[in-house]
Amino acid sequence: MTSLLRKAAPIAAPAALLRSAPRWLTAGRQMHMAATADTVAQMPPPGLFVEHQSSSLPLQGATTRVPKLGLSTYLTPPGMATKGAVSHALKEGYRHIDTSELFKNERDVGAAIQGSGLDRDQIFITTRYWHHLGGKDTPQAACRASTKRLGVGQTDAYLLYAPKGETVLLKTWEGMQDAQSSGLAKHVGLSMASLGDLEAIVRHGMPLPSLVQAPVSPFAPQRDLVQFCGDQNIHLSSLSPLGGALSLDNAVVTRIAKRIGQTPSQVLIRWGIQRGFSCLPKSSSASHITENYGALGFELSEEDMASLNNLRPK
């Protein structure tokens, strides 16, 4: 595995990306890469790939199952950083890759998937529609463009990054149904959704999302949102399942990790999995990608789950 890595200086985003991406994304991406010492620098050589992970969860009213653990490519720069990270993740056993048109790395995600040797139906692909990018594309047109960049005929999940304001939300959500009915997206959902977004959709009698992404962790439990999704049989996917870098130093988390011989990251991801969420930690580090995958290999006791459930939210 070490042959796939090289020590790298922080990778600067290309000029075109800096001009087109929001300041928060550009700054966050640069901070992420500066903190990553062992960035995956190249595609791994062809080789054996592990079997499809059996750990998966069903989607509402469908035979589709969402892998419990996926890789988020948020903040991973386009190019070899993304290709290498996704290729390494697929080799380790990940079968869910999360991207977005805003990340500017859909082509690289697609290239890594196509070079993996895996059949298309073995990989769950999620991407997003960002209505506030200033473009004129409808969700259906934008989804078609995303599938073309990814090199696939259909995304497994196409998510609306929840717009601000009920009127815009409802109008855009209607357009998301067109993306699904056209066959470009197998399922549609919301990313960074609030409980208010979901309640607005219910009030207006519109179809509920199959999947909702939100930053859920022991430090951001979002109990009302979790309860609503459970009551409505909506699959909840946890973005930022680690709860931020400082969460890894929490005394309760580190004590549990030390006692059971796992890492704090693995403990926090495992908490989400045992709560019934799929988890999407972000990383471009081969060692972290491998470490996070280890969360599928153990279980937390009822006592440990209770301790994590009782952590004070930030």
Side-chain angles (χ1 to χ4, degrees):
M1 183 179 300
T2 55
S3 64
L4 303 180
L5 308 176
R6 65 173 173 86
K7 296 295 182 181
I11 298 177
L17 179 61
L18 292 172
R19 289 194 299 269
S20 61
R23 290 181 179 179
W24 60 264
L25 176 63
T26 300
R29 176 173 281 153
Q30 290 172 334
M31 291 175 62
H32 169 69
M33 296 310 298
T36 301
D38 56 343
T39 301
V40 180
Q42 62 183 45
M43 295 276 284
L48 296 177
F49 290 83
V50 298
E51 294 182 0
H52 189 299
Q53 66 187 56
S54 60
S55 302
S56 58
L57 297 160
L59 277 179
Q60 174 186 15
T63 57
T64 304
R65 297 184 67 85
V66 184
K68 291 182 179 180
L69 182 65
L71 176 69
S72 169
T73 61
Y74 174 59
L75 297 182
T76 305
M80 291 309 301
T82 294
K83 289 180 182 178
V86 173
S87 295
H88 182 74
L90 294 173
K91 184 178 181 181
E92 286 295 313
Y94 287 74
R95 294 297 180 264
H96 184 180
I97 306 298
D98 177 86
T99 183
S100 169
E101 63 173 307
L102 183 65
F103 302 170
K104 305 296 184 184
N105 58 17
E106 287 176 318
R107 294 185 191 278
D108 305 304
V109 168
I113 289 172
Q114 291 159 26
S116 69
L118 296 168
D119 293 337
R120 169 65 184 90
D121 61 5
Q122 292 182 274
I123 304 173
F124 192 95
I125 302 174
T126 297
T127 191
R128 298 171 181 78
Y129 175 66
W130 295 74
H131 79 287
H132 49 301
L133 283 179
K136 298 180 180 179
D137 283 349
T138 64
Q140 183 175 348
C143 187
R144 182 176 291 106
S146 284
T147 59
K148 184 176 180 179
R149 287 189 291 268
L150 287 162
V152 298
Q154 182 186 60
T155 66
D156 295 286
Y158 191 53
L159 308 182
L160 167 62
Y161 187 88
K164 303 299 182 183
E166 186 171 306
T167 300
V168 176
L169 166 67
L170 297 174
K171 180 179 180 181
T172 313
W173 184 240
E174 184 177 3
M176 295 290 287
Q177 311 309 309
D178 295 334
Q180 183 177 24
S181 62
S182 68
L184 292 167
K186 185 177 293 186
H187 303 283
V188 291
L190 297 176
S191 181
M192 296 299 288
S194 69
L195 179 59
D197 295 329
L198 293 169
E199 290 174 337
I201 289 172
V202 170
R203 280 198 309 273
H204 288 81
M206 302 182 75
L208 285 170
S210 297
L211 183 149
V212 165
Q213 288 183 345
V216 181
S217 74
F219 305 95
Q222 301 215 50
R223 294 185 178 91
D224 291 341
L225 178 63
V226 170
Q227 182 67 50
F228 182 94
C229 289
D231 291 344
Q232 298 294 333
N233 197 26
I234 298 171
H235 177 76
L236 185 62
S237 188
S238 174
L239 297 174
S240 302
L242 305 185
L246 295 178
S247 302
L248 300 179
D249 296 325
N250 177 270
V252 173
V253 175
T254 56
R255 183 174 67 249
I256 292 172
K258 183 176 181 180
R259 177 168 49 78
I260 65 176
Q262 306 295 332
T263 68
S265 295
Q266 291 169 337
V267 167
L268 289 168
I269 294 169
R270 186 69 209 181
W271 174 87
I273 290 172
Q274 288 186 213
R275 288 293 306 273
F277 316 140
S278 58
C279 293
L280 291 166
K282 69 177 186 294
S283 184
S284 57
S285 158
S287 61
H288 291 164
I289 290 169
T290 299
E291 175 189 344
N292 291 342
Y293 192 73
L296 293 174
F298 68 97
E299 290 190 0
L300 294 170
S301 68
E302 291 184 5
E303 293 77 12
D304 289 339
M305 287 295 293
S307 295
L308 294 169
N309 287 337
N310 290 329
L311 287 175
R312 292 175 61 87
K314 293 180 179 179

